[in-house]
Amino acid sequence: MAASCVRTVGSFIGKCGHCSLGINTITSQVSRQVLNRQICVSSALHGKNIASMGPEKFTAEFIQKQVEEYNIGKRHLANMMGEDPENFTQEDIDRSIAYLFPSSLFVKEARPVMKHPDIIFPKQKAAQWGEDGRPFHFLFYTGKQAYYSLMHDLYGKILKLEKYQDRLKVKGLFSSEGKKASLGLSRWLTKEELEQLLVQPTSQQDYNHFIQLIERLLSMPYSGTEEEFILRYRYQLEAESRKQTVQPLQKDEKGVAFSSAEGRRKTSNSSVILRDCGSGRVTVNGQDYLHYFPFLQHREQLMFPLQFVDMLGRFDLQCTVSGGGPSSQAGALRLAISRALLSFLSEGDMENMRQAGLLTPDPRVRERKKPGQEGARRKFTWKRR
Amino acid sequence: MAASISGLLKPWIPRVFLVRWSRYNPYYLEPEVRKEVYNRPETELSAEEKEQQELKEMRSIKAATGGITSSVFSDPSISKFTNMMMKHGNKALAREIISVTLETVKRKQVEKYHKAPAGKKDEIECNPYVIFHQALENCKPVVGLISVPKGGRFYQVPVPLSENRRRFLAMKWMITECRDNKHRTTPMHEKLSQELLAAFIKEGNVVKKRNEMHKVAEANRAYAHYRWW
């Protein structure tokens, strides 16, 4: 279990921090023996059915203790690796663990791991009934208490808003525009995100029902009063173009500006150096592109990004490509050229190129052949008997 | 979900394996390759279009496929037609046939243009792309027939077709016609150019087939209510 793995790694590092003290090692040995003795007692003697107990339940104090242990262990690890304990990030932890505990196991989940307990121990609902066995929440017996209580709250808010509107109408202050909720650029939470929020599996129908009801709340004129509640169920979007990394523009000895980038498609890898000479020559793996790509479509693909931004004759391309077939090599080169071109373009041009599909790496790869079928999709000839 | 699309090469595995699934997350939009869409100045756009543009900036876009470019020479319907004509992945041959066909069409039309008297010269269309589009438009059926089982018998029910289906049927009929009903020495591009020119003036076997389909649909009008969708 990953949990026990972490416990061992974390506590091991905690103990290593005190390994100079001999007394501690003896006590740790003794405690380990005691633990061993406890483990040897089989739960069958207690008459417990382990399967019926459901997933392991962790108390809040246990999780807190794990978090403290994790933080202490992180500092010890940083000291061991000779790095700054204050700025020790998760990537550094992963690197150090891979160095200290090298493992060649194929299953990545079985390798030693040290992560924050919130990631390792799944989020669970707190105990839902008191000592007398009576549940705390009034909707416990519906089975989906979090979801139904959310729907209940939502409908309560809709009724409240309607009452508010009636009161305004009585006073004569009602206006059909009213105060609408301003959402900014956001979208509704997906079903998976809602499940995470509620810590409870939700079906597609339930999710659709929830979206219907909250859209109804949003469409009411005075939904601005409940804006804060609605925003809790919206995910703020940020511009995709900001996620692009632009290659830096370099200058070589003759003062010619150039930039280089890499691209991949299927199994081809390519790298391109774009020089701002003004000649428009293209060299692929040392050969002229007319010899390397005899098929017109591949040459068109190379020219596509340059033609899109109207800079056809301006650049000199020096490309290297390996792996795959001609079409996938052309695709890899196209991606590399688009990326290299970004350092010569403005933000608006970059957004246009992204919307033209030039900056997305193509994820399509060859689908594997399945057993019992002739190919990826083709089945064997169907015989009646 | 949007936050987890950070690794774009991460394959999207659907929860339930459908028959037709793609490596892209369904959140991705189709790319817009034509240049004129991006050259429109700010003032021309209405408020709705501005909002749409803003929303599009937040969405991920799929990669452009390997057959299309933003140049004036790439046409979406011609690309579709080339792909449908391609056999065993031999795109080079399909493209060769199409380009030779368009050249043949142009040559024939230019010949006709030079032979025509001065008054009739304006009526002759020389642009092969215009002829291709018009011919395809003339071959597209308006209604299709679907086999619906009712009480043990199968009835041919007339049904409205979507735009994609109409385009597909027109192209498929054109290709099958050119492959089957030609003399063994006639090359494909020759036969295709003949059929395209015939369809342009609403003659030829493909247009005849479309008209027959329409006649059968008209005759089976009584069964139209067997359709429940």
Side-chain angles (χ1 to χ4, degrees), chain A residues 179-216:
Chain A
K179 199 174 79 150
K180 282 256 181 166
S182 68
L183 304 162
L185 282 154
S186 56
R187 59 163 175 82
W188 292 121
L189 288 183
T190 57
K191 184 166 99 76
E192 282 78 15
E193 284 163 1
L194 187 69
E195 273 178 16
Q196 265 187 342
L197 195 66
L198 298 176
V199 195
Q200 184 198 302
T202 326
S203 76
Q204 186 64 37
Q205 278 171 331
D206 288 342
Y207 174 72
N208 292 343
H209 198 189
F210 163 72
I211 293 289
Q212 249 181 355
L213 204 56
I214 204 169
E215 287 272 2
R216 182 179 158 192

Side-chain angles (χ1 to χ4, degrees), chain A residues 271 275 281-293 317-322 329 333:
Chain A
S271 96
R275 273 180 247 271
R281 269 190 302 246
V282 183
T283 332
V284 184
N285 282 358
Q287 295 177 9
D288 192 38
Y289 75 134
L290 203 58
H291 294 297
Y292 197 81
F293 289 122
L317 299 172
Q318 185 194 331
C319 326
T320 44
V321 69
S322 63
Q329 283 184 346
L333 279 173

Side-chain angles (χ1 to χ4, degrees), chain B residues 28-84:
Chain B
Y28 278 61
L29 295 175
E30 294 291 330
E32 180 57 70
V33 176
R34 294 167 302 165
K35 271 207 272 193
E36 46 286 358
V37 171
Y38 299 108
N39 287 342
R40 290 168 70 190
E42 281 285 315
T43 46
E44 259 188 43
L45 308 168
S46 66
E48 283 172 353
E49 287 181 324
K50 280 196 182 139
E51 210 189 298
Q52 264 186 344
Q53 255 190 358
E54 243 180 74
L55 282 172
K56 200 168 177 188
E57 279 174 30
M58 306 292 153
R59 299 280 291 256
S60 317
I61 312 265
K62 296 186 190 177
T65 42
I68 47 167
T69 51
S70 57
S71 83
V72 290
F73 301 112
S74 93
D75 188 46
S77 55
I78 295 222
S79 309
K80 199 50 114 188
F81 195 75
T82 336
N83 286 340
M84 283 182 68

Side-chain angles (χ1 to χ4, degrees), chain B residues 101-121:
Chain B
T101 308
L102 292 173
E103 197 194 315
T104 329
V105 161
K106 175 108 191 197
R107 277 182 197 274
K108 287 184 183 168
Q109 289 298 91
V110 165
E111 212 184 297
K112 244 197 272 179
Y113 180 85
H114 287 309
K115 284 186 185 159
K120 300 277 176 95
K121 285 210 180 192

